[in-house]
Amino acid sequence: MIQTPPPEMGHPLADTVARFAWLLPVLPLLGFALNGFLSLKHAAHAGPADPTAASEHAHGDHGHAAHGHDDHGHDDHHAARHPAAKLVSLIGPGVLLLSFGLAVAIFGAMRAAHIEDPYILTLFQWMPTGDLSIDVAFQLDQLSMVMVLIITGIGSLIHLFSVGYMQDDPGYPRYFAYLNLFVFFMLLLVLGSSYPLMFVGWEGVGLCSYLLIGFWFSEKANADAGKKAFIVNRIGDFGMLVAMFLMFANFGTLSFTGLEGALGDVEVGALVPTAIALFLFLGATGKSAQIPLYVWLPDAMAGPTPVSALIHAATMVTAGVYLIARSGLLFALAPTAQLTVALVGALTAVFAATIGLKQWDIKKVLAYSTVSQLGYMFVGVGVGAYTAGVFHLMTHAFFKALLFLGSGSVIYAMHQAYHATHKHEDAQDMRNMGGLKAHMPVTFYLMWIATLAIAGIPFFSGFFSKDEILASVFARTHGSTLAEGALLGVPGSVVLYVVYALGLAAALMTAIYMTRMMLYTFHGPNRTGDAERPHLKEAPWIMTGPLVVLGVLSLAGGWFNIPPILGFLGADGVLHHWLEPVTGAAELMVTHGEAAHLSHSTEYVLIGTAIAIAVAGIAFAFAKLKPEALKPAKESPAEQGLAKTLYNKWYVDEGYDKAIVQPTVAVSRTVLWKGIDVGLIDGLLVNGSAVFTKALAWAGAQLHTGRVGTYAWIFVLGAVMVLGAFTFF
């Protein structure tokens, strides 16, 4: 089912609210402009009106922390509200809620119209040059609509949570300006009708991640984390740029619909689509934190916790998954690239899960779980089960946003308690928590819902999406282009069995480390301290309210795509039918034109296996982990052996530092700086030319002394030389 560019006029959506789709990104862009203006306006007034100065005065020697964080780069909270805080609190979340409302209205119009072809809304010409003509145009179809609803819906909840969480930060307007800009670029990314326009959004979210991760830039660690995210993503961007060059050189188009039309006569396994798909995947590994470019994502925890929720749940890290789903027909022509995507995704899922087993920082546990779950999504889209991949992207947005915002509530409570007693402990270390269910019951129950969802316990949202991915992998081990292909000489069916096994292993570890996080945070005795304990309490409702909504979605979100075998639970395959006009053709290409099929008995066995593994992981954690025996961070012994290796993330960062960073710095310092810059350019070319000119000037000066005798001798010498020349030559 190849899509072709339809005329704008005459499309079923042309006369509906969909013609205002351009407002979807423009509203958050407006929020960025207004909040940015408020930030600059008040920054221009120094003195008592300067909130930073006020905070420093109010907190005396704690003024250092007025930037909203402590020595460890962790979030902190102080009572020094920005003068424009109330207005910012209306603008920041307000534009997102308006955008979400418009998205819901467009979704309603799309459902009523039952469209098969995408609706292209062209705004203006961007790059009309020679054979290349790129418009600024938005593409509304079923896939982009799902992404828009996730981004604006989850984004709105995160913005509301931020109103409470960041209320006392001196950079409050700047924070919301960045947050609004982030959503604008993400919407541009998913609405763009061509790869170049998508790339604008792609780069924009990279810029915003740098700004938000390094939001508290006065701390070097935070600034370094922002730079790390920015630089690592540039490596992936190189791949995407090369892919676009290859696309235009071989197919003469860069629009999604144009490329799909040009792929009609290309054979499965051809070299060009395989190369393009692999380069696109390189771009996706950077943006979506897959091996070997995952290292920036855990460090992104340096930013405020709502930023972590936004990056991990609804925006940037899902861009790579969206890119592959959007390029489904291209990847369906490249089984080698698909097997690569699936295998890298499975390896990433397992590798990140092992690290998550031994992290003590509550946000680091969630960060590695995001890397691991993104691996699952890549397994889904890698095997051509695009609906399954997008489905897990959606359910993950629900429960991961809940987990991050829930951890934000926990950190908020811990900081409030430590701040009240002027105690300086790590508020994010789970060893300093424990027993919080008595103080934060709402957060406790909601985070357990999200934990059961991500662990894959039946009837929670993650169970349906994770099971669908694993079942899709198993179903393609035979009767598919993947099973008939090969990766580095290994038959595709063998690769798929390995991917399936790795998926099960990652599921087991996910259940263990997530249960560990809950046990050490909420169960057992409280380890915060006797003086701090009375100050532990639930966060305000502006923060807890979004958690409740996300809890409902984490609980019931799986009902959006119940598999046919469990159709007795409700309408089956709603998301699958919705996405079929976009992803259906690519999925059928992988399975030779027939839907992937498993016998009922096989499906029941797969579901039973997945449930058994999830339950076993939780049971193992309850049996082996004893929060009663855990000591506060200061009293805990250092990790040893394998635990130390896992705690230090397999020393991958250290390995990268020695293998890449330090040699690069050494070459830059000795060759580029001292050799080329200082020696060649400054020394030989710039200073050397100056010395040479000076020498010429000195020589010339010696000939212009004003002494007649010297001139006479030079005249005689010249005459002799001329006569000599005539005589001997």
Side-chain angles (χ1 to χ4, degrees):
M1 187 184 299
I2 303 297
Q3 297 178 352
T4 55
E8 287 183 27
M9 302 305 296
H11 192 279
L13 291 178
D15 295 325
T16 68
V17 69
R19 66 183 184 278
F20 299 111
W22 57 273
L23 275 173
L24 289 169
V26 167
L27 283 168
L29 182 63
L30 179 64
F32 160 71
L34 294 174
N35 287 325
F37 170 76
L38 291 172
S39 176
L40 294 174
K41 178 175 180 290
H42 289 278
H45 294 83
D50 182 359
T52 305
S55 178
E56 288 175 350
H57 176 74
H59 297 286
D61 58 357
H62 298 295
H64 151 76
H67 296 285
H69 59 120
D70 61 15
D71 292 335
H72 306 286
H74 297 157
D75 305 359
D76 202 353
H77 305 273
H78 299 275
R81 301 209 71 187
H82 193 278
K86 289 184 179 178
L87 188 55
V88 173
S89 301
L90 291 175
I91 296 172
V95 293
L96 254 293
L97 288 169
L98 288 173
S99 192
F100 177 63
L102 178 60
V104 171
I106 295 174
F107 172 69
M110 197 176 284
R111 282 197 64 190
H114 299 290
I115 64 169
E116 291 293 324
D117 296 321
Y119 173 53
I120 311 291
L121 183 63
T122 303
L123 300 182
F124 54 86
Q125 280 192 324
W126 180 23
M127 285 191 285
T129 171
D131 296 333
L132 177 65
S133 180
I134 299 172
D135 297 332
V136 172
F138 294 153
Q139 177 166 327
L140 272 179
D141 58 19
Q142 291 79 359
L143 178 59
S144 61
M145 197 68 247
V146 169
M147 294 300 296
V148 166
L149 287 171
I150 293 173
I151 295 164
T152 56
I154 304 296
S156 296
L157 295 173
I158 293 171
H159 275 64
L160 288 172
F161 183 91
S162 297
V163 170
Y165 193 82
M166 298 293 290
Q167 59 180 330
D168 297 331
D169 196 285
Y172 193 69
R174 179 168 60 90
Y175 170 80
F176 271 100
Y178 292 165
L179 219 57
N180 287 160
L181 189 65
F182 202 142
V183 175
F184 160 72
F185 278 121
M186 193 62 202
L187 288 171
L188 197 63
L189 192 157
V190 300
L191 283 171
S193 67
S194 63
Y195 285 96
L197 193 56
M198 172 196 271
F199 192 67
V200 174
W202 189 275
E203 289 300 293
V205 294
L207 167 67
C208 292
S209 69
Y210 164 73
L211 295 172
L212 283 167
I213 293 170
F215 179 73
W216 292 313
F217 54 82
S218 59
E219 296 288 346
K220 186 176 184 302
N222 301 338
D224 287 346
K227 287 188 287 186
K228 187 175 183 181
F230 192 79
I231 293 169
V232 172
N233 271 281
R234 299 291 75 71
I235 300 171
D237 295 346
F238 165 77
M240 194 167 174
L241 284 170
V242 174
M244 285 194 286
F245 295 149
L246 288 174
M247 269 181 219
F248 185 70
N250 290 277
F251 302 114
T253 180
L254 290 172
S255 70
F256 300 140
T257 53
L259 180 67
E260 290 170 359
L263 291 174
D265 298 328
V266 179
E267 294 181 358
V268 174
L271 180 61
V272 171
T274 301
I276 296 174
L278 287 173
F279 276 115
L280 284 178
F281 179 55
L282 175 60
T285 55
K287 199 63 73 183
S288 294
Q290 296 294 286
I291 291 175
L293 302 179
Y294 70 94
V295 290
W296 68 269
L297 190 56
D299 285 19
M301 298 301 98
T305 301
V307 171
S308 305
L310 191 63
I311 291 177
H312 287 244
T315 55
M316 182 172 168
V317 298
T318 62
V321 181
Y322 170 76
L323 171 66
I324 295 179
R326 173 58 74 193
S327 311
L329 280 175
L330 180 72
F331 276 84
L333 292 168
T336 302
Q338 286 187 293
L339 289 171
T340 304
V341 174
L343 185 59
V344 170
L347 290 171
T348 304
V350 170
F351 186 74
T354 62
I355 299 174
L357 289 170
K358 289 306 295 181
Q359 297 303 305
W360 290 113
D361 187 309
I362 188 171
K363 287 176 67 177
K364 286 285 181 69
V365 176
L366 296 178
Y368 281 103
S369 87
T370 298
V371 177
S372 183
Q373 296 304 307
L374 285 167
Y376 270 107
M377 295 176 212
F378 275 95
V379 169
V381 295
V383 300
Y386 300 108
T387 301
V390 174
F391 184 31
H392 197 57
L393 184 157
M394 182 175 72
T395 59
H396 179 263
F398 300 154
F399 57 69
K400 186 49 63 68
L402 174 54
L403 286 168
F404 262 114
L405 296 187
S407 73
S409 292
V410 168
I411 295 167
Y412 182 89
M414 293 288 291
H415 266 298
Q416 294 288 347
Y418 284 140
H419 187 65
T421 59
H422 302 286
K423 193 174 179 180
H424 298 281
E425 298 293 338
D426 190 342
Q428 295 181 196
D429 194 315
M430 293 185 294
R431 290 171 292 190
N432 293 332
M433 300 177 187
L436 291 183
K437 67 178 180 180
H439 306 277
M440 307 177 70
V442 177
T443 304
F444 165 70
Y445 287 113
L446 291 171
M447 286 190 72
W448 257 118
I449 290 175
T451 298
L452 295 176
I454 194 174
I457 295 299
F459 310 121
F460 291 87
S461 60
F463 162 73
F464 295 101
S465 56
K466 192 179 292 185
D467 178 70
E468 186 171 339
I469 287 175
L470 293 175
S472 299
V473 176
F474 202 87
R476 284 160 177 76
T477 54
H478 59 278
S480 70
T481 57
L482 299 177
E484 295 154 8
L487 183 63
L488 299 176
V490 180
S493 57
V494 175
V495 175
L496 292 175
Y497 279 121
V498 170
V499 168
Y500 178 76
L502 291 173
L504 290 180
L508 177 65
M509 286 187 278
T510 302
I512 294 174
Y513 70 69
M514 289 304 301
T515 306
R516 171 180 177 269
M517 185 194 80
M518 292 302 295
L519 286 175
Y520 288 157
T521 302
F522 290 99
H523 294 260
N526 180 259
R527 299 176 291 276
T528 308
D530 294 336
E532 290 75 22
R533 203 163 296 127
H535 300 284
L536 292 170
K537 60 183 179 182
E538 202 73 72
W541 270 103
I542 190 65
M543 296 168 63
T544 309
L547 300 188
V548 175
V549 177
L550 290 168
V552 173
L553 292 171
S554 300
L555 183 64
W559 261 253
F560 284 116
N561 202 45
I562 294 174
I565 196 172
L566 299 178
F568 58 87
L569 294 173
D572 63 277
V574 172
L575 183 65
H576 174 77
H577 296 310
W578 173 257
L579 290 177
E580 197 168 15
V582 181
T583 62
E587 292 190 2
L588 289 177
M589 281 182 65
V590 174
T591 53
H592 297 305
E594 295 185 5
H597 177 71
L598 290 171
S599 66
H600 281 189
S601 59
T602 304
E603 280 202 68
Y604 281 125
V605 170
L606 295 178
I607 293 173
T609 303
I611 295 173
I613 283 179
V615 172
I618 294 174
F620 176 84
F622 267 100
K624 293 292 183 181
L625 303 176
K626 303 298 180 186
E628 298 81 7
L630 196 65
K631 296 180 179 179
K634 276 189 173 179
E635 304 170 21
S636 295
E639 304 286 358
Q640 300 294 332
L642 179 61
K644 182 180 180 182
T645 303
L646 296 180
Y647 177 72
N648 288 295
K649 305 160 286 184
W650 294 100
Y651 296 101
V652 172
D653 280 310
E654 289 78 1
Y656 280 176
D657 186 60
K658 288 191 175 178
I660 300 174
V661 177
Q662 289 186 17
T664 303
V665 171
V667 169
S668 300
R669 180 171 293 147
T670 56
V671 178
L672 299 179
W673 174 33
K674 294 184 177 177
I676 296 179
D677 191 12
V678 177
L680 179 63
I681 298 176
D682 285 351
L684 182 62
L685 298 181
V686 177
N687 294 333
S689 60
V691 170
F692 179 70
T693 306
K694 186 178 178 181
L696 284 178
W698 178 84
Q702 302 312 307
L703 299 176
H704 295 78
T705 59
R707 297 172 183 170
V708 177
T710 303
Y711 295 157
W713 275 110
I714 292 175
F715 176 78
V716 171
L717 182 61
V720 170
M721 291 176 67
V722 171
L723 289 174
F726 279 111
T727 302
F728 295 103
F729 298 101

